[in-house]
Structure formats: structure tokens, C-alpha cells
């Protein structure tokens, strides 16, 4: 009991000291109108939407000062075109307070950081047409935290009408805060030369030249390790070779939280070792793994929806009890997508054997159209241009007019019928099952 009280008191003191530091920094640090600060998951190295935007920004506008917030446990590998800043409280406060534009992708990460008058804060998100509920749709306890951050955020960059609806519902964004121009990390799916170069690099780095990768990328959950152990790699690769030809290799991509759990509990995956298996879990850029893969299997990771842009085979694989448990936690039914669904290994093999590429391709096109996808390969360039204009003093209203046309109404956009809650076509709030 004493320890608990001491810990609570220590946390309160730390929070008070941080607020004091923030206030002092905000009061004395001036905004540099040529400085843009990026953050990816509270200090990860360059990656996801912020990473692709930062890279394009450095190429198009080398005069801008690009700063990347990096946690101390990482070394950073992109110092040739950006400047790293620490995520320690004082360094982070100075970096944020001195920037004209702040770009971040982790929701609620900026809620308690002060914002200076004249700054533009841009939220890129890190999902896609994801099936999992987020924000207050998933947890109403965070409502006040969400409100604080949304009030400070000027722009949310969406990739579709569907995602706009989700963030208006789950994170209370107003329509006037949203600009639909695509996700920068997905531009790679439209650039054949870049895909080829990345695929060659991945195969060379992991010594799997001449082989096709099936990427197995389950999300984090309570039973994730036990679920992963049930995968029969040999049977899976045999089925893939029989249906699609070529020599296949099993690429394992564990969720970072699953990896951390396994390290802490000293768990192992003895069934996932051997010459036909390559562990890709430490590779930081998920998009590079996706474009290098010929097929993807997941339980319900949102990465599979990015992979749809490749039009390559992909499969949902999650046990029946998991599907039942998720009914209240997903925006739309698994079976409303073009992706085959299995609940046991035999069904997964059957889905591979009977996979109809023509039907799948037409289904993907219909799915993306219903979602109102605006992905076309130029999101990073548009975002870079938008940020440049913001540093030049162009207002958010003007930016939205440039990239979205005239201001629309504040009401939530209509959602595609296959994603909408039954009886409420305006919001994807519940599974249709």
C-alpha cells in the first residue's frame, strides 16, 4: 500500500515538473517557420506515413529543416537528410515548440503537449481501411484525452471516405479538419521500379533470392503465441506451391507487442524454425515487407488492407472463438471483404487451393470503390506540398480548399453499405453479424 502511494505521488510530481518545463519552453522558444518536426510512435526511427512524407519533403524542399524525434534506445539511420532530436522531456518540448509544422501518427500521443499559436499540427494515422474499432468506438474511457488532442490538431490526412468516417466517429474529428489525399506509405504500391528495388534488397538481406514470400503477420492479442504455434508451415507452403507455383518461404512478422511479451516471458516458437522460415519481425518498415511478399496471411491486422492495393492473394485466418469475440469490436464483418476467411488450418488450405484470382481482383476493386479510396500513388508528394504551403502561412481553410475543393457540411459522411451498421448508414459502428 505504501509503495502504491509512493508511486502515485512520484507520477504526480513528474507530471507537474513536465508541465512546468513545457510552459517555460513554450514561453521562451520561438517558432522557426522553416522547421518541420516528425514523430512516429513516440520515438521510433523513420517509418510509416511520417517517414515517407519526411523523405519526400527533403527531396522536394531541401531548404526546410526536418527534425525527427528519436527515443534514446534507437541509433537512427537517416541522419544524411534529417536531424534527430531526443524524446527526453526537455529536448522534445524544445523541438515541438520551435516547429512551424508538427507531423505525427500516434493517436493521443500529443494530447498533453502544449501547442503554440501559429503552429500547424498534422495527424497522419497509421491504419488504413482497418476492421478494428478505434478511439471511443473501442474505449469511451479515453474520451477526454481524445478531445484534448483533436482540439489541437489542425489536419487529419485520410485515405478514404471510410477512414474519414471512422475518425469522425472514433476520434471526434470534424469534417473541416480532414483532408483526403491518401497515405504516403502506400505510394510504394503504385511504383513498380521502387517495388522491384525494395524486393531485391529484402531478398538479398535475408538471403532468400528466387523464393516467393508468404508473409504471416498476426496482430497482438491475449492468445497470439498459442495461435501462432498452431501454424503448419510445411503444409501451408506445399499448398501455395501447388496453387501458385514457384518455391515459397514462410516470412514471420510478429507484432512488436507480441515480441516484447515473448522476451519478457521467455517464450519461444519452436515450430517456426528451419530453412523454410525467415523471421522478419525486426524489419521496421512493414510496407517493404508487404511489397516483397506474394501472399499475406493474418488474423485481423490492418496491414492486410494495405496489401489489397497490390491485388495479390491474401487470407484472413482466425479461430472461430476469436471471430465471435470480435463481433462487437469490429467495424464490418470479415465476410464483407474480398479476402477469404478461415477458422482452422484445413479451411485455410482449402481457401488457398480454391483461390479465384479473377473473382478476388474484381472484389478488391469493388471494395476500394465502396470505401471511397483515394490512394493513387501521390500522397507523399501532396503531403509535402501541403506542408510547404503551411510553412509559408497558407491557412488550414485554404489548404483544405486546395486539396478537397469546397468545404463540405459538418455531418459525418455516408459510409459504403457493406461497412455500415445496419439501420444507421452514416456510421460504421458495429459488425453486421
Amino acid at each position: 500500500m505504501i509503495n502504491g502511494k509512493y508511486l502515485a505521488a512520484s507520477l504526480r510530481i513528474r507530471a507537474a515538473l513536465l508541465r512546468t518545463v513545457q510552459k517555460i519552453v513554450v514561453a521562451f522558444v520561438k517558432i522557426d517557420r522553416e522547421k518541420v518536426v516528425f514523430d512516429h510512435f513516440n520515438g521510433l526511427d523513420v517509418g510509416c506515413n511520417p517517414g515517407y512524407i519526411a523523405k519526400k519533403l527533403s527531396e522536394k524542399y531541401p531548404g526546410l529543416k526536418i527534425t525527427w524525434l528519436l527515443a534514446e534506445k534507437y541509433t537512427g539511420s537517416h541522419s544524411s537528410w534529417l536531424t534527430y532530436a531526443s524524446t527526453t522531456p526537455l529536448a522534445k518540448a524544445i523541438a515541438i515548440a520551435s516547429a512551424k509544422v508538427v507531423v505525427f501518427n500516434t493517436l493521443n500521443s500529443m494530447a498533453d503537449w502544449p501547442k503554440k499559436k501559429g503552429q500547424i499540427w498534422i495527424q497522419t494515422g497509421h491504419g488504413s481501411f482497418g476492421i478494428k474499432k478505434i478511439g471511443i468506438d473501442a474505449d469511451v474511457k479515453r474520451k477526454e484525452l481524445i478531445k484534448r488532442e483533436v482540439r489541437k490538431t489542425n489536419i487529419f490526412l485520410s485515405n478514404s471516405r471510410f477512414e474519414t468516417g471512422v475518425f469522425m466517429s472514433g476520434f471526434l474529428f470534424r469534417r473541416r479538419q480532414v483532408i483526403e489525399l491518401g497515405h504516403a506509405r502506400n505510394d510504394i504500391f503504385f511504383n513498380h521500379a521502387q517495388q522491384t528495388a525494395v524486393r531485391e534488397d529484402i531478398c538479398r538481406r535475408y538471403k532468400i533470392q528466387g523464393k516467393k514470400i508468404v508473409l504471416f503477420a498476426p496482430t497482438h492479442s491475449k492468445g497470439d503465441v498459442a495461435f501462432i504455434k498452431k501454424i503448419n508451415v510445411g503444409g501451408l507452403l506445399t499448398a501455395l506451391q501447388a496453387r501458385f507455383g514457384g518455391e515459397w518461404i514462410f516470412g514471420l512478422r510478429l507484432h512488436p507487442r507480441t515480441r516484447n511479451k515473448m522476451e519478457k516471458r521467455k517464450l519461444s516458437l519452436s515450430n517456426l524454425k528451419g530453412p523454410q522460415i525467415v523471421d522478419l519481425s525486426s524489419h521496421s518498415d512493414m510496407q517493404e515487407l508487404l511489397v516483397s511478399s506474394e501472399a499475406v496471411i493474418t488474423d485481423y491486422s490492418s496491414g492486410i488492407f494495405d496489401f489489397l492495393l497490390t491485388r495479390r492473394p491474401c487470407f484472413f485466418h482466425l479461430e472461430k472463438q476469436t471471430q465471435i469475440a470480435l463481433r462487437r469490436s469490429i467495424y464490418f464483418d470479415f465476410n464483407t471483404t474480398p479476402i477469404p476467411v478461415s477458422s482452422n488450418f484445413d479451411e485455410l488450405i482449402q481457401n488457398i487451393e480454391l483461390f479465384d484470382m479473377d473473382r478476388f481482383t474484381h472484389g478488391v476493386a469493388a471494395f476500394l470503390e465502396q470505401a471511397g479510396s483515394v490512394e493513387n500513388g501521390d500522397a507523399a508528394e501532396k503531403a509535402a506540398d501541403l506542408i510547404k504551403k503551411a510553412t509559408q502561412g497558407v491557412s488550414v481553410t485554404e489548404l483544405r480548399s486546395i486539396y478537397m475543393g469546397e468545404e463540405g457540411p459538418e455531418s459525418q459522411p455516408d459510409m459504403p453499405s457493406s461497412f455500415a451498421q445496419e439501420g444507421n448508414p452514416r456510421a460504421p459502428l458495429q459488425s453486421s453479424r
Side-chain angles (χ1 to χ4, degrees):
M1 196 70 171
I2 296 176
N3 289 337
K5 289 182 178 180
Y6 175 78
L7 177 60
S10 298
L11 291 175
R12 286 195 297 271
I13 292 171
R14 184 179 184 277
L17 288 173
L18 177 58
R19 286 194 295 271
T20 301
V21 169
Q22 290 173 339
K23 289 179 180 178
I24 294 172
V25 169
V26 168
F28 290 98
V29 174
K30 294 183 179 180
I31 292 176
D32 182 342
R33 294 190 174 277
E34 294 186 340
K35 184 174 182 178
V36 185
V37 168
F38 290 86
D39 182 38
H40 168 37
F41 272 95
N42 297 310
L44 290 183
D45 200 2
V46 175
C48 197
N49 292 314
Y52 284 93
I53 294 172
K55 182 64 175 176
K56 180 62 69 174
L57 194 66
S58 74
E59 294 170 354
K60 292 199 70 175
Y61 305 107
L64 291 178
K65 303 168 186 175
I66 299 176
T67 298
W68 191 275
L69 296 176
L70 186 71
E72 291 184 328
K73 61 181 178 180
Y74 303 110
T75 57
S77 56
H78 302 272
S79 57
S80 62
W81 55 274
L82 55 72
T83 300
Y84 284 108
S86 172
T87 55
T88 56
L90 179 58
K92 184 174 181 177
I94 293 173
I96 292 174
S98 61
K100 173 62 179 176
V101 179
V102 179
V103 183
F104 54 104
N105 69 342
T106 310
L107 295 150
N108 301 328
S109 64
M110 300 291 285
D112 293 323
W113 287 90
K115 179 184 179 184
K116 295 191 71 169
K117 183 178 180 180
Q119 288 186 318
I120 302 294
W121 283 16
I122 300 175
Q123 165 67 257
T124 71
H126 58 266
S128 189
F129 316 103
I131 197 168
K132 295 176 288 186
K133 286 185 179 180
I134 58 175
I136 62 173
D137 290 345
D139 181 9
V140 295
K141 295 178 182 178
R142 297 189 295 165
K143 189 171 184 177
E144 292 307 313
L145 186 70
I146 288 169
K147 283 182 176 180
R148 288 202 300 274
E149 182 169 280
V150 169
R151 280 195 295 266
K152 299 174 185 178
T153 305
N154 300 96
I155 297 170
F156 169 68
L157 298 181
S158 170
N159 79 336
S160 62
R161 184 175 67 252
F162 170 75
E163 189 175 48
T164 296
V166 165
F167 275 82
M168 289 176 68
S169 170
F171 283 93
L172 306 178
F173 278 96
R174 307 293 294 272
R175 181 188 275 269
R176 65 173 177 265
Q177 292 173 279
V178 180
I179 296 178
E180 294 174 3
L181 51 74
H183 286 324
R185 70 182 189 196
N186 287 339
D187 290 350
I188 192 172
F189 297 123
F190 298 86
N191 188 323
H192 181 71
Q194 186 180 8
Q195 287 187 51
T196 300
V198 167
R199 190 180 300 115
E200 289 177 353
D201 179 65
I202 292 291
C203 290
R204 182 171 55 252
R205 188 182 309 184
Y206 294 99
K207 300 178 181 179
I208 51 176
Q209 293 96 327
K211 298 179 181 179
K212 295 181 178 181
I213 302 172
V214 54
L215 186 67
F216 180 58
T219 193
H220 168 70
S221 64
K222 289 183 179 179
D224 48 9
V225 177
F227 169 70
I228 294 167
K229 287 183 176 180
K230 296 179 182 179
I231 293 295
N232 178 346
V233 174
L236 175 65
L237 297 181
T238 298
L240 288 166
Q241 181 175 346
R243 172 59 186 84
F244 301 108
E247 184 178 358
W248 289 76
I249 194 161
F250 183 89
L252 175 64
R253 213 306 182 142
L254 297 176
H255 191 283
R257 290 181 180 175
T258 302
R259 290 178 62 199
N260 292 339
K261 177 170 66 177
M262 291 181 63
E263 290 174 2
K264 288 180 180 178
R265 300 181 185 179
K266 297 182 179 180
L267 303 175
S268 65
L269 295 169
S270 56
N271 65 313
L272 297 182
K273 298 182 185 299
Q276 293 181 307
I277 299 169
V278 57
D279 189 353
L280 303 171
S281 302
S282 62
H283 195 87
S284 61
D285 193 327
M286 180 64 168
Q287 306 310 96
E288 291 185 349
L289 297 181
L290 291 175
V291 300
S292 301
S293 300
E294 294 300 319
V296 167
I297 300 171
T298 186
D299 44 6
Y300 51 100
S301 170
S302 62
I304 199 169
F305 293 100
D306 285 348
F307 190 72
L308 282 180
L309 296 170
T310 69
R311 272 67 171 181
R312 298 175 199 154
C314 52
F315 306 87
F316 280 128
H317 178 58
L318 64 166
E319 295 174 330
K320 183 63 69 177
Q321 59 265 36
T322 303
Q323 296 183 37
I324 294 172
L326 286 171
R327 285 180 178 176
R328 296 183 179 275
S329 304
I330 55 179
Y331 284 118
F332 50 89
D333 194 297
F334 286 97
N335 292 305
T336 64
T337 81
I339 305 169
V341 184
S342 60
S343 59
N344 57 58
F345 189 73
D346 289 341
E347 288 180 2
L348 173 60
I349 297 302
Q350 185 178 49
N351 284 341
I352 292 171
E353 292 173 344
L354 300 178
F355 188 82
D356 186 329
M357 183 61 79
D358 288 338
R359 181 179 180 183
F360 175 74
T361 302
H362 285 108
V364 170
F367 179 89
L368 295 175
E369 182 179 359
Q370 285 183 311
S373 172
V374 297
E375 300 281 17
N376 61 12
D378 62 2
E381 183 161 358
K382 286 181 178 177
D385 291 343
L386 182 152
I387 291 171
K388 176 61 176 177
K389 289 181 172 65
T391 64
Q392 295 172 328
V394 179
S395 70
V396 173
T397 300
E398 290 175 294
L399 290 172
R400 194 177 190 283
S401 179
I402 292 169
Y403 292 97
M404 289 286 288
E406 296 182 1
E407 289 283 344
E410 279 298 328
S411 61
Q412 189 166 322
D414 288 345
M415 303 305 299
S417 59
S418 62
F419 307 139
Q421 178 182 355
E422 186 176 353
N424 179 11
R426 294 178 58 200
L429 296 179
Q430 187 172 326
S431 167
S432 59
R433 282 191 182 183

mmCIF file with all atom_site columns, all heavy atoms in Angstrom, residues 40 113 263 297 315 318 333:
data_model
loop_
_atom_site.group_PDB
_atom_site.id
_atom_site.type_symbol
_atom_site.label_atom_id
_atom_site.label_alt_id
_atom_site.label_comp_id
_atom_site.label_asym_id
_atom_site.label_entity_id
_atom_site.label_seq_id
_atom_site.pdbx_PDB_ins_code
_atom_site.Cartn_x
_atom_site.Cartn_y
_atom_site.Cartn_z
_atom_site.occupancy
_atom_site.B_iso_or_equiv
_atom_site.pdbx_formal_charge
_atom_site.auth_seq_id
_atom_site.auth_comp_id
_atom_site.auth_asym_id
_atom_site.auth_atom_id
_atom_site.pdbx_PDB_model_num
ATOM 1  N N   . HIS A 1 40  ? 7.057   9.317   -34.946 1.00 0.00 ? 40  HIS A N   1
ATOM 2  C CA  . HIS A 1 40  ? 6.483   8.022   -35.334 1.00 0.00 ? 40  HIS A CA  1
ATOM 3  C C   . HIS A 1 40  ? 6.434   7.136   -34.103 1.00 0.00 ? 40  HIS A C   1
ATOM 4  O O   . HIS A 1 40  ? 7.473   6.726   -33.585 1.00 0.00 ? 40  HIS A O   1
ATOM 5  C CB  . HIS A 1 40  ? 7.354   7.404   -36.431 1.00 0.00 ? 40  HIS A CB  1
ATOM 6  C CG  . HIS A 1 40  ? 7.066   5.963   -36.748 1.00 0.00 ? 40  HIS A CG  1
ATOM 7  N ND1 . HIS A 1 40  ? 5.806   5.435   -36.747 1.00 0.00 ? 40  HIS A ND1 1
ATOM 8  C CD2 . HIS A 1 40  ? 7.902   4.942   -37.107 1.00 0.00 ? 40  HIS A CD2 1
ATOM 9  C CE1 . HIS A 1 40  ? 5.862   4.153   -37.075 1.00 0.00 ? 40  HIS A CE1 1
ATOM 10 N NE2 . HIS A 1 40  ? 7.119   3.830   -37.288 1.00 0.00 ? 40  HIS A NE2 1
ATOM 11 N N   . TRP A 1 113 ? 0.783   17.733  -24.716 1.00 0.00 ? 113 TRP A N   1
ATOM 12 C CA  . TRP A 1 113 ? 1.875   18.627  -25.099 1.00 0.00 ? 113 TRP A CA  1
ATOM 13 C C   . TRP A 1 113 ? 1.276   19.963  -25.516 1.00 0.00 ? 113 TRP A C   1
ATOM 14 O O   . TRP A 1 113 ? 0.301   20.004  -26.275 1.00 0.00 ? 113 TRP A O   1
ATOM 15 C CB  . TRP A 1 113 ? 2.702   18.027  -26.240 1.00 0.00 ? 113 TRP A CB  1
ATOM 16 C CG  . TRP A 1 113 ? 3.547   16.889  -25.782 1.00 0.00 ? 113 TRP A CG  1
ATOM 17 C CD1 . TRP A 1 113 ? 3.197   15.578  -25.761 1.00 0.00 ? 113 TRP A CD1 1
ATOM 18 C CD2 . TRP A 1 113 ? 4.860   16.964  -25.231 1.00 0.00 ? 113 TRP A CD2 1
ATOM 19 N NE1 . TRP A 1 113 ? 4.207   14.815  -25.234 1.00 0.00 ? 113 TRP A NE1 1
ATOM 20 C CE2 . TRP A 1 113 ? 5.250   15.652  -24.896 1.00 0.00 ? 113 TRP A CE2 1
ATOM 21 C CE3 . TRP A 1 113 ? 5.749   18.001  -24.986 1.00 0.00 ? 113 TRP A CE3 1
ATOM 22 C CZ2 . TRP A 1 113 ? 6.479   15.351  -24.329 1.00 0.00 ? 113 TRP A CZ2 1
ATOM 23 C CZ3 . TRP A 1 113 ? 6.995   17.709  -24.430 1.00 0.00 ? 113 TRP A CZ3 1
ATOM 24 C CH2 . TRP A 1 113 ? 7.344   16.406  -24.106 1.00 0.00 ? 113 TRP A CH2 1
ATOM 25 N N   . GLU A 1 263 ? 9.708   -11.985 -25.135 1.00 0.00 ? 263 GLU A N   1
ATOM 26 C CA  . GLU A 1 263 ? 11.009  -11.739 -24.500 1.00 0.00 ? 263 GLU A CA  1
ATOM 27 C C   . GLU A 1 263 ? 10.886  -11.694 -22.981 1.00 0.00 ? 263 GLU A C   1
ATOM 28 O O   . GLU A 1 263 ? 11.701  -12.276 -22.258 1.00 0.00 ? 263 GLU A O   1
ATOM 29 C CB  . GLU A 1 263 ? 11.602  -10.431 -25.021 1.00 0.00 ? 263 GLU A CB  1
ATOM 30 C CG  . GLU A 1 263 ? 12.052  -10.511 -26.480 1.00 0.00 ? 263 GLU A CG  1
ATOM 31 C CD  . GLU A 1 263 ? 12.499  -9.163  -27.016 1.00 0.00 ? 263 GLU A CD  1
ATOM 32 O OE1 . GLU A 1 263 ? 12.490  -8.178  -26.225 1.00 0.00 ? 263 GLU A OE1 1
ATOM 33 O OE2 . GLU A 1 263 ? 12.846  -9.076  -28.211 1.00 0.00 ? 263 GLU A OE2 1
ATOM 34 N N   . ILE A 1 297 ? -0.979  -13.566 -44.924 1.00 0.00 ? 297 ILE A N   1
ATOM 35 C CA  . ILE A 1 297 ? -1.957  -14.214 -44.050 1.00 0.00 ? 297 ILE A CA  1
ATOM 36 C C   . ILE A 1 297 ? -1.931  -13.489 -42.710 1.00 0.00 ? 297 ILE A C   1
ATOM 37 O O   . ILE A 1 297 ? -0.864  -13.231 -42.151 1.00 0.00 ? 297 ILE A O   1
ATOM 38 C CB  . ILE A 1 297 ? -1.641  -15.706 -43.834 1.00 0.00 ? 297 ILE A CB  1
ATOM 39 C CG1 . ILE A 1 297 ? -1.635  -16.457 -45.164 1.00 0.00 ? 297 ILE A CG1 1
ATOM 40 C CG2 . ILE A 1 297 ? -2.645  -16.344 -42.870 1.00 0.00 ? 297 ILE A CG2 1
ATOM 41 C CD1 . ILE A 1 297 ? -1.123  -17.891 -45.050 1.00 0.00 ? 297 ILE A CD1 1
ATOM 42 N N   . PHE A 1 315 ? -5.215  -13.659 -47.104 1.00 0.00 ? 315 PHE A N   1
ATOM 43 C CA  . PHE A 1 315 ? -6.163  -14.526 -46.403 1.00 0.00 ? 315 PHE A CA  1
ATOM 44 C C   . PHE A 1 315 ? -6.311  -14.121 -44.941 1.00 0.00 ? 315 PHE A C   1
ATOM 45 O O   . PHE A 1 315 ? -5.323  -13.862 -44.261 1.00 0.00 ? 315 PHE A O   1
ATOM 46 C CB  . PHE A 1 315 ? -5.682  -15.985 -46.474 1.00 0.00 ? 315 PHE A CB  1
ATOM 47 C CG  . PHE A 1 315 ? -5.413  -16.489 -47.852 1.00 0.00 ? 315 PHE A CG  1
ATOM 48 C CD1 . PHE A 1 315 ? -4.162  -16.307 -48.449 1.00 0.00 ? 315 PHE A CD1 1
ATOM 49 C CD2 . PHE A 1 315 ? -6.402  -17.136 -48.579 1.00 0.00 ? 315 PHE A CD2 1
ATOM 50 C CE1 . PHE A 1 315 ? -3.903  -16.751 -49.733 1.00 0.00 ? 315 PHE A CE1 1
ATOM 51 C CE2 . PHE A 1 315 ? -6.151  -17.595 -49.873 1.00 0.00 ? 315 PHE A CE2 1
ATOM 52 C CZ  . PHE A 1 315 ? -4.904  -17.407 -50.450 1.00 0.00 ? 315 PHE A CZ  1
ATOM 53 N N   . LEU A 1 318 ? -8.364  -16.851 -38.576 1.00 0.00 ? 318 LEU A N   1
ATOM 54 C CA  . LEU A 1 318 ? -8.536  -16.688 -37.133 1.00 0.00 ? 318 LEU A CA  1
ATOM 55 C C   . LEU A 1 318 ? -9.591  -17.674 -36.647 1.00 0.00 ? 318 LEU A C   1
ATOM 56 O O   . LEU A 1 318 ? -10.558 -17.974 -37.351 1.00 0.00 ? 318 LEU A O   1
ATOM 57 C CB  . LEU A 1 318 ? -8.922  -15.260 -36.773 1.00 0.00 ? 318 LEU A CB  1
ATOM 58 C CG  . LEU A 1 318 ? -10.242 -14.677 -37.264 1.00 0.00 ? 318 LEU A CG  1
ATOM 59 C CD1 . LEU A 1 318 ? -10.537 -13.397 -36.479 1.00 0.00 ? 318 LEU A CD1 1
ATOM 60 C CD2 . LEU A 1 318 ? -10.226 -14.363 -38.748 1.00 0.00 ? 318 LEU A CD2 1
ATOM 61 N N   . ASP A 1 333 ? -18.119 -6.842  -41.011 1.00 0.00 ? 333 ASP A N   1
ATOM 62 C CA  . ASP A 1 333 ? -17.965 -8.293  -40.982 1.00 0.00 ? 333 ASP A CA  1
ATOM 63 C C   . ASP A 1 333 ? -16.797 -8.726  -41.872 1.00 0.00 ? 333 ASP A C   1
ATOM 64 O O   . ASP A 1 333 ? -16.605 -8.187  -42.964 1.00 0.00 ? 333 ASP A O   1
ATOM 65 C CB  . ASP A 1 333 ? -19.264 -8.931  -41.481 1.00 0.00 ? 333 ASP A CB  1
ATOM 66 C CG  . ASP A 1 333 ? -19.333 -10.413 -41.169 1.00 0.00 ? 333 ASP A CG  1
ATOM 67 O OD1 . ASP A 1 333 ? -18.477 -11.154 -41.696 1.00 0.00 ? 333 ASP A OD1 1
ATOM 68 O OD2 . ASP A 1 333 ? -20.229 -10.821 -40.418 1.00 0.00 ? 333 ASP A OD2 1
#
